[in-house]
């Protein structure tokens, strides 16, 4: 049973465009929703995270939108740059227990120069 | 401050063998989590260690075992290797409190022939 579903699997965006990645979750106990960025040969790195008490969080060009009733959240990358080309993972966890992170399957993003 | 390091970088084993992977956590971190990332998939939680005790386990068989040492470094041991164990094994460390960010190492690429 996949607890965090992510789409699309891959995405190609023109430089300067907006990249949008969507995720849905099932477990209503999740209370922490991070996004990770992974470059080839590297481990995932935390990009931005949100808790369910807010509907949006923005950090620079990266914005998370969160819809608690629909159990969905999305990552928007504004003014996408070639350096943003990487694999992005949405994730969820229940903080304070074992803190295990449940990852989506990932979106491979390619920004065309 | 050094980040999370893992060794070896790459490893090739044959089916039925045993393997030990190592992780040095980031300075000041007392919690280590291990994840398995199959090709094209998101990381899957194996288990977590907090102050030398197992603090949660994912859906992995008992032939996956671990240790955490007094200096908070950690080992992942896999016995009776199977072809499906071929994956990138990631270690992540955190300070151990609730809602603490997990910092990932670069991983060990294990190939089972």
């Amino acid at each position: 049973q996949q607890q965090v579903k992510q789409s699309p699997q891959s995405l190609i965006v023109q430089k300067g465009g907006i990249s949008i990645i969507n995720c849905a979750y099932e477990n209503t106990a999740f209370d922490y929703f991070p996004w990770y960025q992974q470059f080839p040969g590297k481990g995932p790195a935390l990009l931005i995270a949100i808790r369910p008490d807010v509907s949006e969080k923005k950090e620079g060009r990266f914005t998370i939108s969160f819809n608690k009733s629909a159990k969905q959240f999305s990552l928007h990358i504004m003014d996408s740059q070639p350096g943003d080309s990487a694999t992005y993972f949405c994730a969820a966890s229940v903080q304070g227990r074992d803190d295990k992170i449940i990852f989506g399957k990932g979106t491979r993003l390619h920004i065309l120069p | 401050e050094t980040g999370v390091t893992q060794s070896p970088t790459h490893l090739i084993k044959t089916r039925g063998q045993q393997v030990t992977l190592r992780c040095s956590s980031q300075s000041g971190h007392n919690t280590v989590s291990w994840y398995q990332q199959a090709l094209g998939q998101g990381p899957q939680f194996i288990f977590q260690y907090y102050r030398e005790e197992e603090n949660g386990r994912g859906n992995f068989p008992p032939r996956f075992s671990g240790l955490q040492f007094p200096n908070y470094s950690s080992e992942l041991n896999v016995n009776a290797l199977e072809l499906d164990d071929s994956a990138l094994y990631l270690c992540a460390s955190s300070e151990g409190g609730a809602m603490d960010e997990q910092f990932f190492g670069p991983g060990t690429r294990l190939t089972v022939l």
Side-chain angles (χ1 to χ4, degrees):
Chain A
Q1 182 187 21
Q2 188 182 350
Q3 294 194 56
V4 179
K5 294 183 179 180
Q6 182 173 349
S7 63
Q9 194 172 349
S10 63
L11 184 61
I12 299 174
V13 175
Q14 291 280 352
K15 178 183 174 183
I18 303 173
S19 304
I20 302 174
I21 305 171
N22 300 299
C23 281
Y25 63 97
E26 299 168 2
N27 186 354
T28 55
F30 288 143
D31 58 5
Y32 178 66
F33 300 89
W35 284 88
Y36 287 84
Q37 180 187 56
Q38 186 176 28
F39 292 105
K42 303 285 187 182
L46 180 66
L47 190 62
I48 186 173
I50 197 168
R51 300 193 187 283
D53 53 342
V54 297
S55 60
E56 186 175 282
K57 182 174 182 180
K58 184 175 180 179
E59 289 184 3
R61 297 185 293 111
F62 301 91
T63 300
I64 299 178
S65 297
F66 186 84
N67 186 330
K68 188 174 180 178
S69 61
K71 294 188 287 185
Q72 294 175 347
F73 58 111
S74 60
L75 175 70
H76 291 63
I77 305 175
M78 312 300 287
D79 187 26
S80 299
Q81 299 296 313
D84 297 331
S85 297
T87 300
Y88 292 80
F89 295 96
C90 62
S93 71
V94 181
Q95 293 286 283
R97 203 184 293 174
D98 55 22
D99 296 332
K100 71 178 180 183
I101 303 171
I102 309 297
F103 286 84
K105 289 192 173 184
T107 296
R108 184 172 289 184
L109 174 65
H110 182 65
I111 307 300
L112 297 173
Chain B
E1 179 182 282
T2 57
V4 178
T5 60
Q6 293 185 242
S7 63
T9 307
H10 296 85
L11 200 53
I12 299 175
K13 291 285 189 178
T14 56
R15 197 169 49 181
Q17 286 189 310
Q18 178 267 340
V19 69
T20 297
L21 310 182
R22 294 178 175 82
C23 171
S24 290
S25 57
Q26 188 164 311
S27 176
H29 289 183
N30 58 20
T31 301
V32 172
S33 303
W34 285 92
Y35 293 81
Q36 180 196 65
Q37 185 176 17
L39 200 61
Q41 301 292 315
Q44 288 195 49
F45 177 77
I46 303 175
F47 44 57
Q48 182 183 84
Y49 279 83
Y50 171 67
R51 294 188 175 182
E52 303 178 59
E53 297 286 331
E54 188 177 291
N55 184 44
R57 188 178 182 92
N59 190 26
F60 280 81
R63 59 189 185 83
F64 285 78
S65 63
L67 278 175
Q68 188 179 31
F69 300 100
N71 67 354
Y72 302 131
S73 64
S74 177
E75 285 183 355
L76 165 65
N77 298 288
V78 188
N79 294 321
L81 283 167
E82 300 177 0
L83 298 179
D84 285 348
D85 295 334
S86 295
L88 180 69
Y89 288 86
L90 295 161
C91 163
S93 74
S94 61
E95 290 185 8
M99 300 181 281
D100 279 332
E101 179 182 349
Q102 294 187 20
F103 292 83
F104 284 82
T108 292
R109 172 73 62 188
L110 173 65
T111 301
V112 182
L113 303 176

